[in-house]
Structure formats: structure tokens, C-alpha cells
Amino acid sequence: MNQNYPPRQDYNFASSSIRAENVHSDPVEQFRLWYEEEEAAGHGEPNRIALATTTKSGAPSLRMVLLKIFGPEGFFFFSDYTSRKAVEMEANPHVAILSHWPRLQRQVRIEGRVEKSSREVTENYFNSRPRLSRAAAAVSHQSSVMDSRDSFEAQLQSLAAGENPIECPETWGGYRVVPTRFEFWQGQPGRVHDRVQYDVEGDQWSLSELQP
Ligand SMILES: Cc1cc2nc3c(=O)[nH]c(=O)nc-3n(C[C@H](O)[C@H](O)[C@H](O)COP(=O)(O)O)c2cc1C
């Protein structure tokens, strides 16, 4: 088979190499460091993450979401509690999330258990959203089949244009991923990449380096 492969890109960030002994002992702090470096580099939306879920029988699915809060309590994103991802997370709370920061040639993989966030966290975030986004959350049954786009738009516009407060629907809210594993990947020349993994052991993190 004659194949035109995509152009090869070299990874040449040897100056920011990572080793088990030069990363932060707390992976959330290491994530924060890289997140802030990506943010400072101004590449836009450092909080885009891929979220992998599975059905009860193990069939995977993947989509992007936005990481809105992270810290010692976990990694938070917001969604519709009736969506496909919500149904899958209900069936299997083991999830994976992934950040890819290509210009710094970095990837962070996080695995853990997910649970719904408190109503307080949900409502705080919901109330910070612009009115159209609040209206969309109230009108949309995310991932259900759209019967009529016209009637959906009419419902959305009438709610968004009104003056009444838009309450956070019970079917919408936050999720919190509590990590059990992190892997930090830094691209290096010749595909000899740096990889540092953290695994939770009780309330401690153990570190190991992985082959490229
Ligand atoms: C960059 C980006 C950010 C997104 N952020 C979110 C988000 O924070 N929450 C959300 O529910 N969907 C978000 N979406 C849409 C999801 O990728 C997906 O289409 C939607 O959640 C339905 O997924 P599901 O059918 O697996 O439930 C985002 C999409 C993109 C491309």
C-alpha cells in the first residue's frame, strides 16, 4: 500500500524534561504548574479536556468538555445529567480525562472515579453562566434526538429573551473526578519522550517513570 503519511513533527522541548525527581510530589500541583504555563503561553482554552466513559459492558465513548475547577477536591466539569455521558457515568463511574497542550508538546492523562458535585458547586457555576447558556441548559435534553429545531429554537429564544430568573434544572450540574492515577508526558526529540506516572496508594502518591 502506497501511503502518504502526515508530515512528521519533531518534539524538541528537551529543556523542559521531566523526571520523577524534578516534578511536584503532589500531581494536582504539577497539573497546576503545567496548566498555568499553558495559560501564560496564550494558546487559548487550556481547560479543554477529553472525557472517556464506558457503558456497563465496557464499550467506550469520548467527547470534549471544559474543566471548570480543579484542586485537591478533584477535577470538575458540568453537563446534562440525562446525556449519554451521564448515563454511562451512572453505569460505570470509572472515567479518564485528558489534556493535550500541543504547542508545549505535553499531555496529561488522569484516571479516577466520578461523582456528581454538590448542588452548591453546581448552582454557583450555573449562576455565573450567561443567560443564553442558562436558557440552553434549561431547554436542551442533551443527546436526545431533536424532533424539531424550529420549536427548540422558539422555546430557547422565548426563555432567553424573558425577564424571569432561570433556575438551574435538577437535570443539569457538575461532576467531580477524583483521580487515582496521573501521567505527565513531555515530548522529546526522536520520540524518546519523558513520562512520569503517579499512582495513589492510600493517601500517598507513588511516582514512577515510564518508557517512551
Ligand atoms: C471544546 C469543547 C468543549 C465542550 N465542553 C462541554 C462541556 O463542558 N459540557 C458538555 O456537556 N459538553 C461540552 N461539549 C460538547 C460535548 O463534546 C458533547 O457533544 C456533549 O456533551 C454530548 O456528549 P454525550 O452525548 O456523550 O453526552 C464541548 C465540546 C467541545 C468541542
Side-chain angles (χ1 to χ4, degrees):
M1 188 170 60
N2 239 346
Q3 180 73 51
N4 284 326
Y5 297 109
R8 274 183 87 80
Q9 193 193 324
D10 200 16
Y11 298 118
N12 49 12
F13 269 65
S15 57
S16 60
S17 110
I18 52 164
R19 295 284 179 271
E21 60 275 7
N22 69 16
V23 290
H24 203 290
S25 57
D26 179 347
V28 177
E29 291 311 310
Q30 181 62 35
F31 184 89
R32 189 185 308 285
L33 194 74
W34 275 19
Y35 186 96
E36 287 175 359
E37 286 178 3
E38 173 69 10
E39 195 171 37
H43 301 146
E45 282 197 323
N47 59 331
R48 277 187 301 244
I49 54 173
L51 165 73
T53 57
T54 69
T55 62
K56 207 171 200 137
S57 60
S61 72
L62 191 61
R63 79 288 292 148
M64 302 301 292
V65 293
L66 294 175
L67 179 66
K68 290 290 175 177
I69 309 167
F70 68 87
E73 315 76 26
F75 288 66
F76 293 75
F77 60 91
F78 294 84
S79 194
D80 185 310
Y81 286 163
T82 65
S83 62
R84 176 176 170 189
K85 73 180 87 51
V87 171
E88 294 188 2
M89 290 188 287
E90 194 70 40
N92 177 8
H94 297 280
V95 299
I97 57 179
L98 180 130
S99 295
H100 180 214
W101 295 315
R103 300 213 217 151
L104 295 182
Q105 299 166 352
R106 288 172 173 173
Q107 165 179 265
V108 185
R109 299 164 67 178
I110 301 175
E111 290 153 41
R113 283 181 72 89
V114 71
E115 57 189 53
K116 285 181 181 167
S117 64
S118 70
R119 212 55 209 160
E120 189 190 356
V121 167
T122 286
E123 286 180 5
N124 272 345
Y125 172 64
F126 185 83
N127 293 329
S128 78
R129 285 162 59 103
R131 189 170 173 90
L132 182 60
S133 312
R134 279 181 281 143
V139 169
S140 171
H141 302 285
Q142 192 181 53
S143 312
S144 292
V145 170
M146 176 77 82
D147 292 326
S148 155
R149 181 87 198 192
D150 288 347
S151 78
F152 179 86
E153 291 282 351
Q155 227 188 318
L156 176 65
Q157 291 312 330
S158 113
L159 183 59
E163 306 261 294
N164 292 341
I166 302 175
E167 305 288 334
C168 180
E170 288 296 319
T171 52
W172 193 94
Y175 285 98
R176 169 169 93 112
V177 178
V178 180
T180 51
R181 172 176 284 170
F182 287 74
E183 186 208 312
F184 292 83
W185 182 101
Q186 173 72 66
Q188 296 295 355
R191 308 290 193 249
V192 190
H193 310 304
D194 294 343
R195 302 176 63 192
V196 175
Q197 182 169 291
Y198 298 70
D199 286 286
V200 80
E201 277 170 21
D203 57 0
Q204 302 286 327
W205 290 99
S206 75
L207 274 88
S208 34
E209 289 178 19
L210 304 180
Q211 297 189 25

